[in-house]
Amino acid sequence: MRVLIHGSELAAATAAAALSWVGHRVTWLPHASTDWPALSTSGWLTSEPELMRRLEEGINQGSLHLVVSEQEAVGRAPFDVFWLAVSADQRQEANDSVARLMTGLCPGAVLVNNSTFPVGETELLESRLDGCRAVALADLLEEGRAWETFTRPSRWLLGCDDDRAEHQVRELLRAFNRRREVFQRMPRRAAELTKLAINGMLATRISYMNDIAGLADSLGVDVEYVRQGMGADSRIGYEYLYPGCGFGGPNFSRDLMRLADVQSASGRHSALLDQVLDINEHKKETLFRKLWAHFHGRLEARCVAIWGAAFKPGTARIDQAPVLTLLRALWAQGVRVRLHDPAAIPAVLAEVGEHPLLEVFRGDPLEACEGADALMLVTEWKTYWNPDWPRLAERLGEKLLLDGRNIYDPAHVAACGMHYRGIGRRADPTRE
């Protein structure tokens, strides 16, 4: 098929790479705010496994053609499919672009709305298409695993009110639907709401578990027992039941706010969503509060090492990441920070600039711990899971480890001569 893709989101880049890989003739028009030269050097894209290699392969083989303007895109018409994957704040621009780019669509073309827009937006887009059809395809990509989740999907959530449009989308994605049936079709508005509701539920589970972790701390209970007991209940399961120092990322945060907007526009108010967001923002400060308590508020001139800045492992993005809250809190108390992350340092520097209380590291994580009083684990990159414990203990002046993702065994850390503070976890007090 002849496919036009518009947008600079991860969903657009992944679709461009994957669809051109399986033989479709793809024209990709990145959004003007982030053109290809900027995209090709962005950390969040270059850190995605396989993706840049597949994009370059498509460009070199001629199955993927990059354009820089709407006029150039229309010049490569006609198109059977218009794949729209822009950010939520580009919605009005997208409407205008659709009106201009529709001249490049052939009769019977389908617009695939892969953007997370308000409920009902796909119908509005279709009204601009002069007889072509529009479907909603929920963006279910996982950052850090985008290529894998697109090419080996567990499901496609398709909002579609037309059998012919469904057939065309199935044909477009047929190469990724061979192992088993992965399409789940429903009305467009239902699909748009389902996408928001999914992330709302996942965020609710995380915030609920974080609330329970706080209660466990107060009661002197190790929350790991509680997590395992809850997860063993078949009605609950283990997914998204890990306490931590708060979630971030463009998808969760954006979709929660979008869901709240949908509630508000319908005349409803969700106290539950308010609580989920409040708990999460409160949890982003929890490592700082534990540090404050350990040193009885005397933090000025201390030095803290932080492992991990990205909002999750496998990505270079720091959108709404807990590390940003921590940095602001630590610097307000005059604390020097030695920050290590294997991928997200450029994003941190772009966000906060060169700060006199900040040193950054990309190599050996133990380097960041030289001269630090304490270590905060914020992002659970695999490189942090099994440090050289004796060398780590030597480098931390006050032997304090604050585990924001509960990846370490508290008893083992205590046996190595360090003080352990986790999220609802407890070390054996006789060994601290």
Side-chain angles (χ1 to χ4, degrees):
M1 290 185 179
R2 298 158 298 181
V3 182
L4 171 62
I5 296 175
H6 179 42
S8 295
E9 297 295 288
L10 178 60
T14 308
L19 295 176
S20 62
W21 177 55
V22 297
H24 296 297
R25 287 166 289 168
V26 178
T27 297
W28 180 17
L29 171 62
H31 189 268
S33 63
T34 316
D35 59 12
W36 174 244
L39 279 171
S40 63
T41 57
S42 62
W44 63 265
L45 183 57
T46 56
S47 64
E48 281 286 338
E50 282 287 302
L51 192 49
M52 277 302 297
R53 182 172 76 84
R54 296 295 185 179
L55 284 168
E56 291 167 354
E57 182 181 275
I59 293 169
N60 292 335
Q61 293 178 354
S63 56
L64 172 59
H65 190 88
L66 283 156
V67 294
V68 299
S69 68
E70 293 176 354
Q71 293 79 7
E72 188 180 356
V74 171
R76 295 184 59 80
F79 299 104
D80 306 297
V81 174
F82 182 1
W83 185 289
L84 183 67
V86 298
S87 66
D89 59 1
Q90 293 164 353
R91 178 166 59 98
Q92 185 54 54
E93 294 176 62
N95 274 279
D96 297 338
S97 292
V98 167
R100 292 188 293 267
L101 291 169
M102 62 161 288
T103 59
L105 304 183
C106 65
V110 171
L111 182 145
V112 177
N113 180 20
N114 196 213
S115 311
T116 302
F117 286 161
V119 176
E121 193 70 18
T122 303
E123 295 173 14
L124 293 177
L125 288 170
E126 186 176 88
S127 69
R128 293 175 172 262
L129 291 177
D130 193 24
C132 294
R133 295 148 293 158
V135 302
L137 187 69
D139 174 8
L140 300 178
L141 292 183
E142 296 179 34
E143 295 217 23
R145 299 179 60 243
W147 177 260
E148 181 182 351
T149 51
F150 193 105
T151 59
R152 297 175 66 86
S154 59
R155 64 173 174 155
W156 294 107
L157 181 59
L158 177 64
C160 182
D161 301 329
D162 182 277
D163 291 340
R164 288 187 303 150
E166 179 189 3
H167 173 78
Q168 196 155 344
V169 174
R170 281 179 170 275
E171 181 60 26
L172 176 72
L173 300 173
R174 180 167 51 85
F176 315 116
N177 192 39
R178 286 196 71 192
R179 290 185 300 155
R180 60 185 176 87
E181 175 58 40
V182 296
F183 278 94
Q184 182 180 10
R185 176 182 167 179
M186 60 182 66
R188 290 177 292 192
R189 284 176 172 246
E192 291 167 332
L193 181 55
T194 300
K195 167 61 169 67
L196 300 176
I198 288 170
N199 276 352
M201 174 58 79
L202 297 179
T204 299
R205 284 173 68 97
I206 294 171
S207 285
Y208 179 73
M209 202 63 213
N210 278 335
D211 214 25
I212 292 297
L215 179 60
D217 257 341
S218 299
L219 298 176
V221 173
D222 189 337
V223 76
E224 181 63 11
Y225 292 116
V226 181
R227 185 192 69 81
Q228 292 187 19
M230 291 173 64
D233 190 317
S234 61
R235 298 168 299 177
I236 299 174
Y238 291 98
E239 295 298 319
Y240 288 82
L241 279 190
Y242 293 92
C245 56
F247 60 78
N251 289 339
F252 260 4
S253 306
R254 175 199 65 196
D255 289 358
L256 283 175
M257 295 307 298
R258 184 65 61 198
L259 186 55
D261 290 344
V262 169
Q263 291 265 22
S264 178
S266 66
R268 301 172 58 87
H269 174 75
S270 175
L272 175 60
L273 283 180
D274 287 347
Q275 285 296 307
V276 168
L277 290 166
D278 286 347
I279 290 170
N280 187 56
E281 290 307 307
H282 183 73
K283 214 63 183 178
K284 290 178 182 179
E285 302 172 353
T286 191
L287 294 184
F288 174 79
R289 290 195 298 271
K290 289 177 181 291
L291 183 77
W292 177 279
H294 184 86
F295 291 116
H296 306 289
R298 294 189 291 272
L299 297 182
E300 189 173 0
R302 291 202 175 272
C303 179
V304 170
I306 294 179
W307 282 358
F311 78 87
K312 63 178 281 189
T315 182
R317 288 193 173 184
I318 60 167
D319 308 61
Q320 292 85 45
V323 74
L324 298 175
T325 300
L326 277 174
L327 290 175
R328 288 191 291 268
L330 292 167
W331 290 339
Q333 297 299 317
V335 177
R336 291 186 297 115
V337 176
R338 294 168 65 86
L339 174 65
H340 181 280
D341 190 282
I345 293 301
V348 172
L349 295 178
E351 178 70 24
V352 304
E354 300 288 342
H355 196 284
L357 295 177
L358 176 66
E359 288 183 80
V360 296
F361 301 83
R362 298 177 176 86
D364 183 355
L366 288 175
E367 280 188 61
C369 299
E370 291 282 359
D373 296 301
L375 168 63
M376 293 181 173
L377 185 283
V378 177
T379 310
E380 65 277 29
W381 288 94
K382 291 302 183 185
T383 190
Y384 302 145
W385 279 69
N386 294 286
D388 184 328
W389 291 105
R391 291 178 63 206
L392 177 59
E394 287 174 4
R395 282 160 174 73
L396 296 179
E398 297 293 335
K399 314 298 185 192
L400 175 62
L401 173 58
L402 298 149
D403 183 0
R405 299 299 173 185
N406 287 357
I407 67 172
Y408 302 123
D409 176 11
H412 180 75
V413 175
C416 292
M418 288 184 283
H419 305 290
Y420 178 88
R421 301 288 183 269
I423 310 298
R425 297 298 314 273
R426 300 188 66 78
D428 182 347
T430 65
R431 304 176 79 173
E432 260 199 275

